Amino acid sequence: MAERDGGTVGIILAGGRGERAKPITLESADYIRSKALIPFAGRRLIEWVIDACREQGIRRFYVVAQGLENRSQIKLLLGHGEQYGVEVRYSRSSFDRYNVGSGAATLHNLEQWDLAERALVLPVDSVFDFSLAELEATHEATNAVVTVAAVARSPLEVAGKYGAMRTDADGLVSGFVEKPSLARVHEIFPEATSDNCALVPTNAGMYLVDCRRLRLAAREPQLMRQAQQRLDWGGDLLPWLVEHGRAVAAHHIARLGDLGNVEDYLVTLRQVLAGDFHQMNQLMPAPRSDRPRYWIHESSLHTKDDVSGTTLADKIASGDVVIGQGVRIGRHVAIGSGVRLEHADIGDGAELREGARLSGTSLGDSSMVGPYARISDSYIGPMADIHSTRDNPVRMDGYCAVGDGVHVWQGTRLTGVSIYPRLRVPALANLPSGTRLTNSDDILRWI
């Protein structure tokens, strides 16, 4: 039955295997964690997505889930949406074989669900700062089939990473360029030079669509054939719509936080904890302190570490522990004397021993960081154990990523290295940045 109430529904695209974000998207070497269930600032990513949309009036969601992991894990977390005050439906597993690209997955499931009204299509590996009302106003004013959420970026940011859009005076898109080189950016957008600081509109991966008109377009023979082979939103579907005279509009939103790889994840986390995302500020609890801005759960304030026997509250009051800007500490966290934290997210049940210093880091639930470890710009997964000592501390930086349940031995020095889940890593140093330790054989090569 088609939707007839005129409200906007949400379509969440939860396909893919999170290859770029590994090991964050791994629970073990052979078990994928859905990108939707990536831990982020104390919750799973899809929970932030649902809440952000619900607060703007969306009450009905359709999840396009590809594969066993995505479908079963999301369904186990969200159910049918009752605890979130929304309704959630899922794509049928028999449709997985038709989901050959994000655009094809959307078109096939619009038919399956018989949607006829307006839908907000969005990925599950990003957080957005946007106004749905303003997006809808642009959509209506331009009579667009699709309105693309756009983020303004500098030419250097765009080059080789983001899809760019050319727009006319009416705000309609006249062309797309997928991940252009810097020279190509300057060629297409001559006004966007270092001299005048003009910005380039880029595709944020979120789309407001007129489901009825999009479904009609999808019945064109050429597009039908393409949707049977490979049809992505940015590289295929949007260019086809523009080339065939369908109105595609662009609407600038305030901010997009990508979580598709380790570096982007950590940069976005830092921005969220710093208060740069207005929408996330509304969804998160009020910080315990504004200057510096941090959150500490009450249970952690009263938790004593097993060396000094004093509570975190006592250590903060005496200056023994310093909590800097942009820190979130979850429940029942034990923090030793002399710990320094800034721009860090500390999961429930974690332990930080005396003298440890974390900056720009995400520390997963129930992980342990040994004495005098120095960890910056790194992701440490749940149940990881960093065996640092005062005489032989662990040092990690440069966007390292340590998977779930990893043990890292004292004296390890890593920069930009990824370690897959459940590995036991002896003291290693001088590994090239970008090295991935995926199994014990990889580790043996560097001993």
Side-chain angles (χ1 to χ4, degrees), residues 1-4 9-13 61-64 89-92 95 98-99 102-122 145-146 207-219 223 231 233 237 241:
M1 178 179 178
E3 304 297 343
R4 303 294 182 192
V9 302
I11 297 177
I12 299 175
L13 301 180
F61 292 88
Y62 297 83
V63 177
V64 179
R89 287 183 60 182
Y90 300 87
S91 59
R92 293 189 180 279
F95 267 58
Y98 302 118
N99 294 346
S102 57
T106 303
L107 296 180
H108 288 133
N109 283 285
L110 288 180
E111 289 293 334
Q112 167 64 28
W113 290 317
D114 194 21
L115 295 179
E117 298 292 325
R118 211 165 38 211
L120 183 67
V121 181
L122 65 167
V145 176
V146 176
Y207 314 104
L208 189 64
V209 307
D210 181 326
C211 293
R212 182 185 62 81
R213 291 164 65 197
L214 186 58
R215 287 170 62 186
L216 286 174
R219 291 166 191 164
L223 194 56
L231 189 73
W233 263 103
L237 180 54
L241 291 171

Side-chain angles (χ1 to χ4, degrees), residues 68-111:
L68 173 63
E69 293 89 356
N70 282 314
R71 183 172 284 101
S72 62
Q73 292 175 30
I74 296 171
K75 177 76 178 298
L76 187 63
L77 177 69
L78 296 184
H80 293 286
E82 299 90 343
Q83 64 177 319
Y84 300 93
V86 299
E87 178 187 340
V88 179
R89 287 183 60 182
Y90 300 87
S91 59
R92 293 189 180 279
S93 59
S94 58
F95 267 58
D96 282 9
R97 63 182 181 273
Y98 302 118
N99 294 346
V100 284
S102 57
T106 303
L107 296 180
H108 288 133
N109 283 285
L110 288 180
E111 289 293 334

Side-chain angles (χ1 to χ4, degrees), residues 288-365:
R288 181 168 292 273
S289 166
D290 283 317
R291 295 185 180 178
R293 178 185 176 88
Y294 63 73
W295 297 257
I296 304 176
H297 192 270
E298 193 72 25
S299 62
S300 294
L301 283 173
H302 301 296
T303 298
K304 298 178 180 179
D305 74 275
D306 57 7
V307 175
S308 72
T310 58
T311 66
L312 176 57
D314 291 337
K315 288 192 281 283
I316 292 174
S318 68
D320 188 19
V321 166
V322 176
I323 308 296
Q325 171 70 9
V327 173
R328 190 197 72 88
I329 299 175
R331 299 170 182 265
H332 305 290
V333 175
I335 294 181
S337 298
V339 168
R340 303 287 187 270
L341 300 173
E342 63 176 352
H343 307 296
D345 185 67
I346 311 300
D348 297 345
E351 296 183 34
L352 291 91
R353 301 294 183 174
E354 66 273 13
R357 296 191 178 187
L358 274 64
S359 173
T361 292
S362 174
L363 183 65
D365 290 354

